[in-house]
Structures are given as C-alpha cells and as structure tokens.
Amino acid sequence: MVKQLLAGFVLLLSTLTVRAELVVEVTQGVDAPSPVAIVPFDWSGSALSEDVAKIVSDDLGRSGFFKMMPRENMLSTPHERSQVFFRDWRISNNDYIVIGRLIPAANGQITATIELYDVLKEQLVWSETVNGNSSNLRDVAHYIADQVFQQLTGIKGAFSTRIVYVTAEMLGKDKYRYRLQMADSDGARPRTILESKEPILSPTWSKDGSKLAYVSFESTRPSIYVQHLATGQRQRIQSFKGLNGAPAWSPQGDRLALVLSKDGNPEIYVLTLATGQLDRLTRHYGIDTEPTWSPDGESILFTSDRGGMPQIYSLHLPSRDLKRLTFEGKYNSRGRLTQDGRFLTMVHQDSDGFHIAVQDLKSGRVDILTSTGLDESPTIAPNGSIILYATKKGGRGVLAGVSLDGRVRFTMPNTQGDVREPAWSPFLQ
C-alpha cells in the first residue's frame, strides 16, 4: 500500500486554487538510456480521471535514464504474465516491460496490481499491489514510478515529492502579483500557498515536509513566516529591524538559521523556535548570507564576501571552527549539500556568466553542469539525483534541472509569469 498516499497533502491540494502548470521538457538524457515499455493498464470500470500508466511512463521518461516505448508501437497490450510474449518485446528492443491491472474495490477504492519484467531474462523483477481511489490516482502513479525507478537504478525514486516556487506576474507598470506555488515534482497540480502584491523570497521546507518557511514583504518590510501546510496556519516569527531573510530549517526541525542585519551588518543567526532564543554565529564586517545546514546538523554553510568576493564557508557549531570550502573561481554562492554530505552544489561564475556547479568535497573537484549564463537558486532532489534551479529562457524566468553528473537536463516552462526560487521537498511520509 502507498503508506496512506500522502493523505494530508491530497486534502490540502483539493482546497487550494489551481494555477498554470509547469511543463517538463527533457533536453538531454544519458548516453544509453534503458529501453522500457509501460503497457496501458487494464481497467473495466467507468472512465478514470487519470491515465496511471501514462503518468508512470512520463515520470520515467523525464528522468532521462530511460527510453520509453510509444504506445502506438506496441505489438500487444498484455495485463497478465500469461499474455506477455517476451520475443515480441525483444524484437521491439525493450529491456524491461511494466504491466498492470486496475480493479474497482469496495467503498470507491481502486486496487492496482503492477508487475515489472526483465525482457531479456524473462523474469519477474518486482510486483506490488497498491490501493488508491479516483482522487489520488496521480499519487498512485508517482509511487509506482518511484518503485520502478529504484528497481532499475538502485536509487530511491523522488517522483512522489513536491516542489515549491515563486511566480511573478506583471499586472502593469511596477505592479506584480507574486504567488508561492506548490506542485508535484513534475509540475502538475500546482496550488497557491500564498498570494501577495509584495515579493516572496526564499521558501524552504521543514525536514518532515509539514511546514514551509519563507520571506514575505507584505508588511512593507522583510519578515520571515512559517506556514503549516495541512492547515494553512501561518505565523510571523520574530521580526527585527533591517534585513530578516534566508531562513533554513535544521535537520531536527526545531531551529531556523537566518540572516539578520539588526546590528547593522548581515550576519548568520540561529533561532530556536520553541523558546525564541537567538544565537549569533558570525561576526565580520563582510556580508554573511544564504545559510544552509549540513545533514547531521553539526555545521552551517553560508556565503560570505569576507575574502573579497563571495565564497562558501562552513562553520562547525560545537567548536565554532570556520573553514572555507570553495576556491575555484572568483564567485561561488548559494551552497547546498546532498543528503550524504559529499557533494556541494552552488552558483558559480566564470567568464560566460553564472552557472550551476557541483563540488566533490572529498576530492575537491568542481564540475560546471549548465551552459546558460543566468542560473540561480539550486535545490537538490532528496535522492540526490537532480538539481533544480532558476534560469532564463526567452527573456522569462523558468525552472530547469540537471543531474548531478550533468548528463540529464530538462526545462520546466510556465505559462504564467516568471518562475524563480525553487525548493524541493524532502521525502514525504
């Protein structure tokens, strides 16, 4: 079963306003993607609101790791093992085939039985029965795609996660409508979390995925808010004079790292939410900003120009030892770590502009992953496979993605306004 299929999020999504969807366009995949066929799933009831097999196929295809077989090229549409003639699928150059059956169950439930076969070995690789209903078929499909992805790559799938991002729609001269949006990882089912005439910045997920923190200018000055996604309840946390920005949740979810200029200069602080205790971490005449936590909660990474140009530093909290992490290039900012703590993604400037780069903290090697020149705000999928970021396409702000090795690339154009400030959710339980 799909572990309640993100029931709280389904309830939330059904109550919020629908907005224009992002559309994922894969621009580059791996050199030799595995050929996979997702056969249309059998269903004998009335028309369903979603084509589950198509969503699974689209998810896997967008990952760039697989070459999906078009339905019109399939010689047959088997739904059970006895109907699968492996020779036909080998002739069609498929390595794997997924078949499935959707069956009406009691109380409006739908039972999905899914089977993944290795065509060359003619063996069952994985099968599972998943329970859902007509309102959460897209969640069922993402779950199935996650399982197939993990079986074929060894990497936990992240199709069932969510993304948030900010859109800015021009209404007239110097007038904008800003929206904080939440959507599926593929951009589908976008919903508005907050709408404002004033800018919204730096959305960030709590580690359990139940809350967002972000910066809003709705009171004409920057303030940090925490919003509970299940209820919509929002709270403005302590607000100080000057800059209140760049919130980042601790792995334990009890503290926020943030940037304050209440003492005249932007510095990094940590706020304990339960008590309101505020601890100042940095003291330097340079600008310290963009904090993020290490996965173990022992260190905070941040951007500082204390060396003359922006670079990324790490502050070990127990010892207060400070270490500079980036040296290649004159500008590195917005550092984010993969969950294993090994790879650091960042915005890196070279002679061609601002790109997304990744640094192996073990070897020190830096790889530039993108070729566009105005890239910003990287955020990493919880399985560490894809970096989502904001860039420009046709003069408009869009989201784009690139794999950690640079071999998979895609864009996510939006039909309404500029898109910016993406943040990828953790795995949702």
Side-chain angles (χ1 to χ4, degrees), residues 219-331:
S219 60
T220 69
R221 55 190 299 268
S223 298
I224 297 173
Y225 289 80
V226 170
Q227 184 158 341
H228 295 256
L229 293 175
T231 64
Q233 178 185 0
R234 56 197 298 260
Q235 171 190 5
R236 188 173 77 166
I237 67 171
Q238 292 185 31
S239 184
F240 301 93
K241 66 178 182 179
L243 175 66
N244 295 259
W249 291 92
S250 68
Q252 298 77 21
D254 59 342
R255 293 174 292 170
L256 281 175
L258 38 83
V259 177
L260 302 175
S261 63
K262 65 186 186 68
D263 296 321
N265 198 58
E267 304 285 357
I268 308 297
Y269 293 76
V270 168
L271 175 68
T272 301
L273 294 172
T275 64
Q277 178 180 337
L278 189 66
D279 295 320
R280 181 172 174 174
L281 299 185
T282 62
R283 296 180 181 273
H284 197 274
Y285 58 82
I287 295 175
D288 298 332
T289 187
E290 300 178 335
T292 188
W293 296 77
S294 62
D296 61 8
E298 291 285 298
S299 300
I300 286 182
L301 282 65
F302 62 96
T303 303
S304 178
D305 66 354
R306 61 182 59 202
M309 293 293 290
Q311 297 292 342
I312 299 171
Y313 295 78
S314 175
L315 179 66
H316 186 249
L317 297 180
S319 66
R320 297 300 170 102
D321 287 341
L322 182 69
K323 178 170 66 174
R324 178 172 165 177
L325 298 180
T326 55
F327 293 90
E328 185 170 324
K330 63 181 182 180
Y331 179 105

Side-chain angles (χ1 to χ4, degrees), residues 47-357:
L48 295 173
S49 59
E50 300 285 359
D51 185 335
V52 177
K54 183 178 185 303
I55 296 170
V56 174
S57 182
D58 289 346
D59 278 350
L60 296 175
R62 277 189 294 265
S63 75
F65 287 88
F66 306 103
K67 179 182 179 182
M68 311 309 298
M69 185 180 191
R71 287 182 174 181
E72 58 269 24
N73 295 345
M74 296 180 182
L75 300 177
S76 61
T77 55
H79 308 125
E80 298 179 355
R81 168 65 178 83
S82 61
Q83 300 172 339
V84 178
F85 296 97
F86 289 104
R87 179 177 176 275
D88 292 345
W89 298 98
R90 284 196 295 270
I91 291 173
S92 301
N93 296 317
N94 286 285
D95 291 347
Y96 300 93
I97 178 176
V98 175
I99 63 174
R101 302 174 298 281
L102 304 177
I103 302 172
N107 300 320
Q109 295 292 298
I110 296 173
T111 297
T113 300
I114 311 300
E115 299 169 1
L116 167 66
Y117 289 93
D118 185 316
V119 172
L120 301 180
K121 296 180 179 179
E122 300 189 7
Q123 293 179 352
L124 177 67
V125 176
W126 164 82
S127 67
E128 187 169 341
T129 296
V130 180
N131 294 322
N133 57 58
S134 59
S135 67
N136 62 16
L137 286 177
R138 182 167 284 274
D139 296 294
V140 172
H142 290 322
Y143 175 83
I144 295 168
D146 283 339
Q147 305 313 306
V148 173
F149 184 86
Q150 182 167 355
Q151 291 293 329
L152 299 185
T153 67
I155 303 170
K156 185 175 181 178
F159 303 114
S160 296
T161 57
R162 301 284 192 262
I163 58 173
V164 293
Y165 52 92
V166 175
T167 61
E169 181 184 5
M170 180 177 286
L171 303 178
K173 184 178 180 181
D174 299 326
K175 291 184 178 180
Y176 289 86
R177 177 186 292 118
Y178 298 91
R179 295 189 180 99
L180 177 59
Q181 304 270 80
M182 180 172 68
D184 290 8
S185 64
D186 60 359
R189 296 189 294 185
R191 301 295 185 268
T192 299
I193 304 298
L194 176 68
E195 184 171 315
S196 176
K197 296 180 181 179
E198 302 298 332
I200 303 168
L201 302 171
S202 306
T204 180
W205 293 83
S206 63
K207 299 306 178 181
D208 63 359
S210 68
K211 299 182 287 292
L212 292 174
Y214 52 83
V215 177
S216 174
F217 283 72
E218 61 198 74
S219 60
T220 69
R221 55 190 299 268
S223 298
I224 297 173
Y225 289 80
V226 170
Q227 184 158 341
H228 295 256
L229 293 175
T231 64
Q233 178 185 0
R234 56 197 298 260
Q235 171 190 5
R236 188 173 77 166
I237 67 171
Q238 292 185 31
S239 184
F240 301 93
K241 66 178 182 179
L243 175 66
N244 295 259
W249 291 92
S250 68
Q252 298 77 21
D254 59 342
R255 293 174 292 170
L256 281 175
L258 38 83
V259 177
L260 302 175
S261 63
K262 65 186 186 68
D263 296 321
N265 198 58
E267 304 285 357
I268 308 297
Y269 293 76
V270 168
L271 175 68
T272 301
L273 294 172
T275 64
Q277 178 180 337
L278 189 66
D279 295 320
R280 181 172 174 174
L281 299 185
T282 62
R283 296 180 181 273
H284 197 274
Y285 58 82
I287 295 175
D288 298 332
T289 187
E290 300 178 335
T292 188
W293 296 77
S294 62
D296 61 8
E298 291 285 298
S299 300
I300 286 182
L301 282 65
F302 62 96
T303 303
S304 178
D305 66 354
R306 61 182 59 202
M309 293 293 290
Q311 297 292 342
I312 299 171
Y313 295 78
S314 175
L315 179 66
H316 186 249
L317 297 180
S319 66
R320 297 300 170 102
D321 287 341
L322 182 69
K323 178 170 66 174
R324 178 172 165 177
L325 298 180
T326 55
F327 293 90
E328 185 170 324
K330 63 181 182 180
Y331 179 105
N332 293 286
S333 69
R334 192 64 179 261
R336 296 294 183 268
L337 288 169
T338 54
Q339 283 301 306
D340 60 8
R342 176 168 178 175
F343 295 97
L344 173 68
T345 67
M346 68 191 88
V347 178
H348 173 87
Q349 184 185 17
D350 63 13
S351 58
D352 295 325
F354 295 89
H355 311 290
I356 303 303

Side-chain angles (χ1 to χ4, degrees), residues 360-379:
D360 185 335
L361 293 180
K362 185 175 181 180
S363 67
R365 173 175 171 170
V366 175
D367 292 311
I368 298 176
L369 304 179
T370 62
S371 56
T372 42
L374 292 172
D375 305 330
E376 59 184 24
S377 304
T379 180

